[in-house]
Amino acid sequence: MNRKKSREVAMKIIFEGTFNSRPIEEIMEEADFFNEDLDTNTLDMNFIKKIVTGINENIEAINGIIEENSDNWKLNRISKINLAILKVAIYEMVFSEDTPEPVAINEAVELSKQYSDDKSVSFINAVLDRIYKSKG
């Protein structure tokens, strides 16, 4: 099972949810839409579901954590893709014990390199680093 690709799919589902009024469960059922070029046998569907469901259940707390640690940036000023990346990483860092925090940060930075710009990479790294340091 490829957790890196599974995490990417979870991020895409969260991203899709920001534009869609359908329940997140429906979006998750169509997750293979995002994986046309992937062998779905390599995905950890339980891991994807755990992340997406966990974010959905803890969205208010996760949004609060983002606002507290993003130098007075309001959520509506942060790009939707960066929010999706942050939500996945923060869920893993704060609400899940499956992923070591440095791994969650590194994976988020790698996703931002792939889906965002250089300034966003720095922003995401800084926000997650603040969260990590405040916990420890």
Side-chain angles (χ1 to χ4, degrees):
M1 301 289 175
N2 186 331
R3 284 214 163 175
K4 183 180 193 87
K5 286 293 181 185
S6 299
R7 188 176 285 108
E8 182 178 356
V9 169
M11 180 272 300
K12 288 179 178 182
I13 292 168
I14 296 301
F15 177 72
E16 174 72 18
T18 63
F19 296 103
N20 205 315
S21 60
R22 292 183 306 156
I24 201 77
E25 294 79 17
E26 279 184 33
I27 296 169
M28 267 188 359
E29 287 175 13
E30 298 169 3
D32 60 358
F33 164 80
F34 298 114
N35 304 302
E36 293 172 0
D37 61 334
L38 290 176
D39 177 4
T40 54
N41 293 326
T42 65
L43 296 176
D44 185 341
M45 295 308 290
N46 289 328
F47 183 63
I48 293 168
K49 185 175 182 176
K50 180 179 178 182
I51 291 173
V52 172
T53 303
I55 291 169
N56 213 29
E57 291 172 354
N58 296 287
I59 194 63
E60 287 182 29
I62 291 170
N63 286 342
I65 291 168
I66 293 170
E67 285 188 332
E68 287 172 23
N69 291 281
S70 60
D71 285 336
N72 298 319
W73 278 68
K74 297 292 180 198
L75 291 178
N76 63 357
R77 289 189 57 215
I78 301 171
S79 76
K80 304 260 189 256
I81 194 70
N82 290 343
L83 276 175
I85 293 167
L86 284 168
K87 288 174 183 178
V88 170
I90 291 168
Y91 170 75
E92 288 192 279
M93 291 172 68
V94 176
F95 297 97
S96 176
E97 296 178 4
D98 289 349
T99 307
E101 292 164 331
V103 172
I105 294 169
N106 184 61
E107 292 293 328
V109 167
E110 291 302 314
L111 283 171
S112 65
K113 286 178 183 177
Q114 184 175 354
Y115 290 97
S116 214
D117 60 21
D118 290 339
K119 288 183 181 181
S120 295
V121 173
S122 297
F123 173 75
I124 287 171
N125 190 45
V127 170
L128 296 177
D129 188 56
R130 277 188 212 112
I131 295 165
Y132 180 62
K133 286 178 179 172
S134 71
K135 288 183 69 184

PDB file of all heavy atoms in Angstrom, residues 26-39:
ATOM      1  N   GLU A  26     -19.903  10.876  -0.678  1.00  0.00           N
ATOM      2  CA  GLU A  26     -20.125  10.699  -2.119  1.00  0.00           C
ATOM      3  C   GLU A  26     -18.864  10.988  -2.911  1.00  0.00           C
ATOM      4  O   GLU A  26     -18.535  10.278  -3.859  1.00  0.00           O
ATOM      5  CB  GLU A  26     -21.244  11.624  -2.610  1.00  0.00           C
ATOM      6  CG  GLU A  26     -22.621  11.127  -2.349  1.00  0.00           C
ATOM      7  CD  GLU A  26     -23.675  12.065  -2.954  1.00  0.00           C
ATOM      8  OE1 GLU A  26     -23.418  12.677  -4.007  1.00  0.00           O
ATOM      9  OE2 GLU A  26     -24.749  12.167  -2.347  1.00  0.00           O
ATOM     10  N   ILE A  27     -18.176  12.036  -2.520  1.00  0.00           N
ATOM     11  CA  ILE A  27     -16.923  12.383  -3.206  1.00  0.00           C
ATOM     12  C   ILE A  27     -15.914  11.262  -3.016  1.00  0.00           C
ATOM     13  O   ILE A  27     -15.210  10.888  -3.946  1.00  0.00           O
ATOM     14  CB  ILE A  27     -16.387  13.732  -2.691  1.00  0.00           C
ATOM     15  CG1 ILE A  27     -17.379  14.848  -3.036  1.00  0.00           C
ATOM     16  CG2 ILE A  27     -15.016  14.033  -3.283  1.00  0.00           C
ATOM     17  CD1 ILE A  27     -17.090  16.174  -2.368  1.00  0.00           C
ATOM     18  N   MET A  28     -15.862  10.698  -1.802  1.00  0.00           N
ATOM     19  CA  MET A  28     -14.933   9.593  -1.535  1.00  0.00           C
ATOM     20  C   MET A  28     -15.252   8.375  -2.381  1.00  0.00           C
ATOM     21  O   MET A  28     -14.343   7.692  -2.846  1.00  0.00           O
ATOM     22  CB  MET A  28     -14.968   9.200  -0.052  1.00  0.00           C
ATOM     23  CG  MET A  28     -13.930   9.910   0.724  1.00  0.00           C
ATOM     24  SD  MET A  28     -13.704   9.395   2.436  1.00  0.00           S
ATOM     25  CE  MET A  28     -14.831   8.136   2.775  1.00  0.00           C
ATOM     26  N   GLU A  29     -16.517   8.095  -2.594  1.00  0.00           N
ATOM     27  CA  GLU A  29     -16.905   6.945  -3.407  1.00  0.00           C
ATOM     28  C   GLU A  29     -16.399   7.077  -4.832  1.00  0.00           C
ATOM     29  O   GLU A  29     -16.166   6.077  -5.514  1.00  0.00           O
ATOM     30  CB  GLU A  29     -18.424   6.776  -3.410  1.00  0.00           C
ATOM     31  CG  GLU A  29     -18.970   6.252  -2.103  1.00  0.00           C
ATOM     32  CD  GLU A  29     -20.490   6.204  -2.090  1.00  0.00           C
ATOM     33  OE1 GLU A  29     -21.106   6.334  -3.170  1.00  0.00           O
ATOM     34  OE2 GLU A  29     -21.052   6.041  -1.001  1.00  0.00           O
ATOM     35  N   GLU A  30     -16.229   8.309  -5.287  1.00  0.00           N
ATOM     36  CA  GLU A  30     -15.756   8.554  -6.643  1.00  0.00           C
ATOM     37  C   GLU A  30     -14.257   8.819  -6.678  1.00  0.00           C
ATOM     38  O   GLU A  30     -13.735   9.378  -7.645  1.00  0.00           O
ATOM     39  CB  GLU A  30     -16.514   9.734  -7.238  1.00  0.00           C
ATOM     40  CG  GLU A  30     -17.992   9.460  -7.346  1.00  0.00           C
ATOM     41  CD  GLU A  30     -18.793  10.701  -7.691  1.00  0.00           C
ATOM     42  OE1 GLU A  30     -18.193  11.765  -7.901  1.00  0.00           O
ATOM     43  OE2 GLU A  30     -20.029  10.581  -7.746  1.00  0.00           O
ATOM     44  N   ALA A  31     -13.545   8.407  -5.636  1.00  0.00           N
ATOM     45  CA  ALA A  31     -12.115   8.697  -5.527  1.00  0.00           C
ATOM     46  C   ALA A  31     -11.319   8.157  -6.705  1.00  0.00           C
ATOM     47  O   ALA A  31     -10.307   8.727  -7.078  1.00  0.00           O
ATOM     48  CB  ALA A  31     -11.558   8.137  -4.220  1.00  0.00           C
ATOM     49  N   ASP A  32     -11.777   7.089  -7.334  1.00  0.00           N
ATOM     50  CA  ASP A  32     -11.002   6.559  -8.461  1.00  0.00           C
ATOM     51  C   ASP A  32     -11.004   7.537  -9.639  1.00  0.00           C
ATOM     52  O   ASP A  32     -10.182   7.435 -10.527  1.00  0.00           O
ATOM     53  CB  ASP A  32     -11.476   5.170  -8.872  1.00  0.00           C
ATOM     54  CG  ASP A  32     -12.921   5.121  -9.306  1.00  0.00           C
ATOM     55  OD1 ASP A  32     -13.600   6.154  -9.272  1.00  0.00           O
ATOM     56  OD2 ASP A  32     -13.365   4.027  -9.669  1.00  0.00           O
ATOM     57  N   PHE A  33     -11.916   8.513  -9.616  1.00  0.00           N
ATOM     58  CA  PHE A  33     -11.885   9.586 -10.610  1.00  0.00           C
ATOM     59  C   PHE A  33     -10.535  10.298 -10.578  1.00  0.00           C
ATOM     60  O   PHE A  33     -10.007  10.723 -11.586  1.00  0.00           O
ATOM     61  CB  PHE A  33     -13.011  10.579 -10.296  1.00  0.00           C
ATOM     62  CG  PHE A  33     -12.877  11.904 -10.977  1.00  0.00           C
ATOM     63  CD1 PHE A  33     -13.263  12.047 -12.294  1.00  0.00           C
ATOM     64  CD2 PHE A  33     -12.363  12.991 -10.316  1.00  0.00           C
ATOM     65  CE1 PHE A  33     -13.146  13.271 -12.932  1.00  0.00           C
ATOM     66  CE2 PHE A  33     -12.230  14.211 -10.936  1.00  0.00           C
ATOM     67  CZ  PHE A  33     -12.624  14.359 -12.241  1.00  0.00           C
ATOM     68  N   PHE A  34      -9.950  10.422  -9.400  1.00  0.00           N
ATOM     69  CA  PHE A  34      -8.676  11.110  -9.240  1.00  0.00           C
ATOM     70  C   PHE A  34      -7.495  10.219  -9.607  1.00  0.00           C
ATOM     71  O   PHE A  34      -6.378  10.674  -9.681  1.00  0.00           O
ATOM     72  CB  PHE A  34      -8.490  11.549  -7.785  1.00  0.00           C
ATOM     73  CG  PHE A  34      -9.533  12.512  -7.327  1.00  0.00           C
ATOM     74  CD1 PHE A  34     -10.427  12.149  -6.338  1.00  0.00           C
ATOM     75  CD2 PHE A  34      -9.613  13.781  -7.859  1.00  0.00           C
ATOM     76  CE1 PHE A  34     -11.384  13.045  -5.887  1.00  0.00           C
ATOM     77  CE2 PHE A  34     -10.560  14.687  -7.421  1.00  0.00           C
ATOM     78  CZ  PHE A  34     -11.444  14.309  -6.437  1.00  0.00           C
ATOM     79  N   ASN A  35      -7.733   8.956  -9.795  1.00  0.00           N
ATOM     80  CA  ASN A  35      -6.640   7.997  -9.925  1.00  0.00           C
ATOM     81  C   ASN A  35      -6.625   7.274 -11.253  1.00  0.00           C
ATOM     82  O   ASN A  35      -6.271   6.111 -11.318  1.00  0.00           O
ATOM     83  CB  ASN A  35      -6.741   6.964  -8.803  1.00  0.00           C
ATOM     84  CG  ASN A  35      -6.745   7.621  -7.478  1.00  0.00           C
ATOM     85  OD1 ASN A  35      -5.807   8.328  -7.166  1.00  0.00           O
ATOM     86  ND2 ASN A  35      -7.781   7.428  -6.711  1.00  0.00           N
ATOM     87  N   GLU A  36      -7.010   7.964 -12.290  1.00  0.00           N
ATOM     88  CA  GLU A  36      -7.052   7.310 -13.581  1.00  0.00           C
ATOM     89  C   GLU A  36      -5.695   6.734 -13.978  1.00  0.00           C
ATOM     90  O   GLU A  36      -5.621   5.715 -14.624  1.00  0.00           O
ATOM     91  CB  GLU A  36      -7.559   8.288 -14.640  1.00  0.00           C
ATOM     92  CG  GLU A  36      -9.003   8.669 -14.413  1.00  0.00           C
ATOM     93  CD  GLU A  36      -9.455   9.784 -15.330  1.00  0.00           C
ATOM     94  OE1 GLU A  36      -8.660  10.259 -16.146  1.00  0.00           O
ATOM     95  OE2 GLU A  36     -10.625  10.170 -15.210  1.00  0.00           O
ATOM     96  N   ASP A  37      -4.620   7.384 -13.538  1.00  0.00           N
ATOM     97  CA  ASP A  37      -3.288   6.920 -13.893  1.00  0.00           C
ATOM     98  C   ASP A  37      -2.655   6.050 -12.816  1.00  0.00           C
ATOM     99  O   ASP A  37      -1.527   5.622 -12.940  1.00  0.00           O
ATOM    100  CB  ASP A  37      -2.373   8.103 -14.211  1.00  0.00           C
ATOM    101  CG  ASP A  37      -2.202   9.044 -13.032  1.00  0.00           C
ATOM    102  OD1 ASP A  37      -3.105   9.095 -12.169  1.00  0.00           O
ATOM    103  OD2 ASP A  37      -1.172   9.723 -12.968  1.00  0.00           O
ATOM    104  N   LEU A  38      -3.384   5.774 -11.742  1.00  0.00           N
ATOM    105  CA  LEU A  38      -2.850   4.973 -10.642  1.00  0.00           C
ATOM    106  C   LEU A  38      -3.488   3.598 -10.621  1.00  0.00           C
ATOM    107  O   LEU A  38      -4.646   3.440 -10.976  1.00  0.00           O
ATOM    108  CB  LEU A  38      -3.135   5.636  -9.298  1.00  0.00           C
ATOM    109  CG  LEU A  38      -2.395   6.914  -8.974  1.00  0.00           C
ATOM    110  CD1 LEU A  38      -2.904   7.459  -7.645  1.00  0.00           C
ATOM    111  CD2 LEU A  38      -0.910   6.674  -8.908  1.00  0.00           C
ATOM    112  N   ASP A  39      -2.737   2.665 -10.171  1.00  0.00           N
ATOM    113  CA  ASP A  39      -3.282   1.342  -9.895  1.00  0.00           C
ATOM    114  C   ASP A  39      -3.942   1.426  -8.519  1.00  0.00           C
ATOM    115  O   ASP A  39      -3.258   1.595  -7.509  1.00  0.00           O
ATOM    116  CB  ASP A  39      -2.161   0.307  -9.901  1.00  0.00           C
ATOM    117  CG  ASP A  39      -2.639  -1.084  -9.552  1.00  0.00           C
ATOM    118  OD1 ASP A  39      -3.859  -1.277  -9.366  1.00  0.00           O
ATOM    119  OD2 ASP A  39      -1.784  -1.975  -9.464  1.00  0.00           O
TER     120      ASP A  39
END
